[in-house]
């Protein structure tokens, strides 16, 4: 059974250089819900996600984390979070299979656990026929799927996605959403930033910034 993790953004403000990226933002992200973080380019979506992940620190306010109804520090839930940034850094010359092997070693996953999870993810993403293809030769949609698979290897309780379908063709977008729905059935917390209003309609809860 997965840990239930809630995240509360409490009156957070953040300035980046001369720009006020976040101004007194308060949001609550509940476990087991697919949340859409909606806003145009420059609204502060990426800044907010990086603040939640403690890659940035707020000038004012705080981010609170709860695990199984107990308040915890971010360090306690860090291993349970998967983050997929807008610009992924995969290795063009490594195949799909080699990427999964690499991230398995990086996460120190036991061999049997890795093999089971690998097969689950390849099935979910429909990437089985492409395991030997280098990342540099994948389509935009498959490249995004590979990045998500690498993030999901640890079976996280929280998945944070920064505009994952940006620049992806319509068919790949639909397949990506089917994958997200399958993840949502695992009762995990999903936070997805997007500028597309049609994607907002697909989320269980929407936050506009």
């Amino acid at each position: 059974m997965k840990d239930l993790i809630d995240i509360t953004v409490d009156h957070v403000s953040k300035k980046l250089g001369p720009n006020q990226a976040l101004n007194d933002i308060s949001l609550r992200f509940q476990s087991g819900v697919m949340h859409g973080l909606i806003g145009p380019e420059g609204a502060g979506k990426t800044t907010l996600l990086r603040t939640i992940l403690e890659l940035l620190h707020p000038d004012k306010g705080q981010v609170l984390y709860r695990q199984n109804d107990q308040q915890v520090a971010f360090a306690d839930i860090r291993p349970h979070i998967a983050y997929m940034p807008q610009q992924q850094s995969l290795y063009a010359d490594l195949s799909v299979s080699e990427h999964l092997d690499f991230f398995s070693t990086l996460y120190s996953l036991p061999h049997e656990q890795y093999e089971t999870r690998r097969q689950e993810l390849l099935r979910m993403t429909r990437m089985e026929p492409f395991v030997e293809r280098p990342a540099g030769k994948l389509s935009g949609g498959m490249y995004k799927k590979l990045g998500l698979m690498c993030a999901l290897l640890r079976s996280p309780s929280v998945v944070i996605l920064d505009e994952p379908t940006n620049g992806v063709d319509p068919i790949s977008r639909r397949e990506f959403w089917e994958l997200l729905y399958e993840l949502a059935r695992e009762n995990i917390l999903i936070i997805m930033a997007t500028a597309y209003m049609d994607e907002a309609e697909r989320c269980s809860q929407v936050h506009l910034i």
Side-chain angles (χ1 to χ4, degrees), residues 118-146:
R118 171 191 169 100
Q119 293 306 315
E120 288 176 352
L121 292 172
L122 288 172
R123 174 190 58 79
M124 289 168 62
T125 57
R126 303 173 188 170
M127 290 281 283
E128 299 102 320
F130 311 105
V131 291
E132 300 306 324
R133 184 174 297 184
K137 294 185 178 180
L138 295 175
S139 67
M142 287 193 290
Y143 190 89
K144 296 274 189 176
K145 287 181 182 179
L146 175 56

Side-chain angles (χ1 to χ4, degrees), residues 3-183:
D3 290 293
L4 299 180
I5 295 174
D6 298 329
I7 300 173
T8 300
V9 178
D10 184 26
H11 296 285
V12 164
S13 295
K14 179 64 181 179
K15 198 170 186 179
L16 298 176
N19 300 317
Q20 188 69 47
L22 301 173
N23 186 20
D24 196 31
I25 299 292
S26 293
L27 301 170
R28 185 183 177 198
F29 300 104
Q30 297 167 286
S31 61
V33 176
M34 185 185 296
H35 296 262
L37 185 63
I38 314 300
E41 184 177 351
K45 300 186 298 297
T46 297
T47 301
L48 180 57
L49 296 183
R50 290 177 177 174
T51 302
I52 289 172
L53 293 161
E54 289 201 352
L55 299 173
L56 295 173
H57 297 285
D59 300 326
K60 295 181 181 178
Q62 60 185 335
V63 181
L64 303 172
Y65 310 92
R66 295 186 68 84
Q67 182 177 14
N68 300 326
D69 288 329
Q70 299 293 322
Q71 188 165 325
V72 295
F74 177 74
D76 296 320
I77 65 166
R78 187 196 304 270
H80 303 285
I81 296 179
Y83 173 48
M84 184 173 165
Q86 188 173 1
Q87 299 295 331
Q88 298 177 75
S89 299
L90 302 178
Y91 301 96
D93 56 336
L94 292 185
S95 68
V96 170
S97 181
E98 288 169 334
H99 270 93
L100 295 176
D101 290 345
F102 172 75
F103 278 91
S104 170
T105 302
L106 189 66
Y107 297 149
S108 300
L109 295 180
H111 178 73
E112 289 187 4
Q113 178 183 337
Y114 165 59
E115 288 297 329
T116 299
R117 187 61 173 165
R118 171 191 169 100
Q119 293 306 315
E120 288 176 352
L121 292 172
L122 288 172
R123 174 190 58 79
M124 289 168 62
T125 57
R126 303 173 188 170
M127 290 281 283
E128 299 102 320
F130 311 105
V131 291
E132 300 306 324
R133 184 174 297 184
K137 294 185 178 180
L138 295 175
S139 67
M142 287 193 290
Y143 190 89
K144 296 274 189 176
K145 287 181 182 179
L146 175 56
L148 185 58
M149 280 196 294
C150 293
L152 294 175
L153 270 178
R154 288 192 291 185
S155 300
S157 297
V158 180
V159 177
I160 296 178
L161 309 162
D162 192 357
E163 301 200 37
T165 61
N166 190 27
V168 173
D169 66 88
I171 293 177
S172 294
R173 279 182 66 192
R174 186 181 69 235
E175 291 179 345
F176 200 94
W177 271 99
E178 290 172 358
L179 177 56
L180 291 182
Y181 287 141
E182 189 161 348
L183 290 175

Side-chain angles (χ1 to χ4, degrees), residues 34-38 190-194 200 203-208:
M34 185 185 296
H35 296 262
L37 185 63
I38 314 300
I190 300 174
I191 304 174
M192 176 179 177
T194 180
C203 299
S204 302
Q205 189 168 345
V206 173
H207 309 272
L208 299 174

